[in-house]
Amino acid sequence: MTSTAQAAGQSPVRRLAGTLHRRPRLRLSLLLTAPLLWLAVLYLGSLAVLFVSAFWTTNSFTSEVVKVWSTDNFHALFTTPVFRQVILRSIGVALAVTALSAVIAFPVAFYTARVAKPKWRPLLVVAILTPLWASYLVKVYAWRLILSQGGFADWTLKPFGLSGPGFGLFAAVIALTYLWLPYMILPIHTALEQLPANLLDASADLGARAGRTFRSVVVPMVLPSVAAGSVFTFSLSLGDYITVQIVGGKTQLIGNLVYSNIELNLPMAAALGTVPVVVIVLYLLAMRRTGALSSL
């Protein structure tokens, strides 16, 4: 029987399977079509609707959305002092959480990757991941109890004549750092674990001390992973509003303003919602130069 006759006798499913086997690019395209379409319709589509609705206005008497093209919302964002302060404060909080996470994560990751015995390292990584398994609200309310008046922070600092920070901006930074710290530890841990030991030995053989080895060898090798972790800590902190609402006291960030304007002024809420998107895109472009995106 010739190959043509054999092909004619095959079922459509077998012919399709043979075609996909011979054409890997076609197979990959079909596999990615559904998730990419889902991403384009739901995620990118929602962002497009958000951006378009930011140019609408609201009837001051009825609070109904008026679908008339206007840039008043964006003009108000940059001319109203309250909005400018909230935007700058939100970016500052995200940067503070990122910096604090990096300072805490580096020694922890160095211990888990280079100091701890190999048999304990997987258990330490699991311990680092354990807080991510707990409920977000449980962790935030736990920090509310710790920082509340007469709470654990006050009880611990009272013998030294001090008191806890209470609720406010500092409390929000501490809680957000705790929430997103594992996302900074894991990339640094992976980078330090993959750091060739012969580089450290070569640095020591050339007479470099520990501090010089750290600055000249370890930091350049690990910096892309630090930047990769910062993508998570910065973006997650910038868009958070629940933590600030629970432990932030009277502090207002972008997320809180978006939430409070959804019912009253939807176009203004959409305009506020575009700010984190733009800031995160600019941050990703900046981190791309460090090789962070390849370390994700």
Side-chain angles (χ1 to χ4, degrees), residues 24-34 36:
R25 291 186 179 180
L26 176 62
R27 183 172 68 248
L28 180 62
S29 300
L30 292 177
L31 288 174
L32 295 179
T33 297
L36 289 178

Side-chain angles (χ1 to χ4, degrees), residues 67-242:
K67 298 180 180 180
V68 176
W69 191 265
S70 173
T71 59
D72 292 344
N73 295 323
F74 290 100
H75 183 265
L77 287 181
F78 296 104
T79 58
T80 306
V82 174
F83 289 143
R84 291 203 308 267
Q85 292 174 4
V86 169
I87 292 172
L88 293 176
R89 185 187 302 128
S90 301
I91 297 175
V93 167
L95 291 175
V97 171
T98 299
L100 188 58
S101 298
V103 171
I104 298 174
F106 207 99
V108 174
F110 188 83
Y111 178 81
T112 59
R114 310 295 301 189
V115 179
K117 295 181 179 180
K119 66 177 181 179
W120 294 112
R121 291 174 186 175
L123 296 178
L124 292 174
V125 172
V126 172
I128 293 170
L129 290 174
T130 300
L132 297 178
W133 302 344
S135 170
Y136 174 94
L137 289 176
V138 169
K139 292 183 288 187
V140 177
Y141 274 106
W143 274 103
R144 182 177 176 85
L145 293 176
I146 292 172
L147 299 171
S148 62
Q149 186 176 6
F152 180 77
D154 283 345
W155 179 78
T156 304
L157 297 174
K158 187 176 181 179
F160 304 98
L162 303 174
S163 61
F167 302 140
L169 190 62
F170 181 76
V173 171
I174 295 297
L176 288 171
T177 301
Y178 170 79
L179 288 173
W180 314 132
L181 182 60
Y183 293 104
M184 180 67 78
I185 296 177
L186 290 179
I188 300 177
H189 169 87
T190 303
L192 289 172
E193 194 174 35
Q194 296 176 352
L195 185 66
N198 56 1
L199 291 180
L200 304 179
D201 295 336
S203 178
D205 293 339
L206 292 173
R209 296 182 179 181
R212 179 61 184 275
T213 300
F214 177 79
R215 294 191 305 270
S216 302
V217 179
V218 177
V219 171
M221 297 290 291
V222 179
L223 187 59
S225 296
V226 176
S230 74
V231 172
F232 293 102
T233 57
F234 182 84
S235 59
L236 292 172
S237 300
L238 186 64
D240 191 280
Y241 74 96
I242 297 178

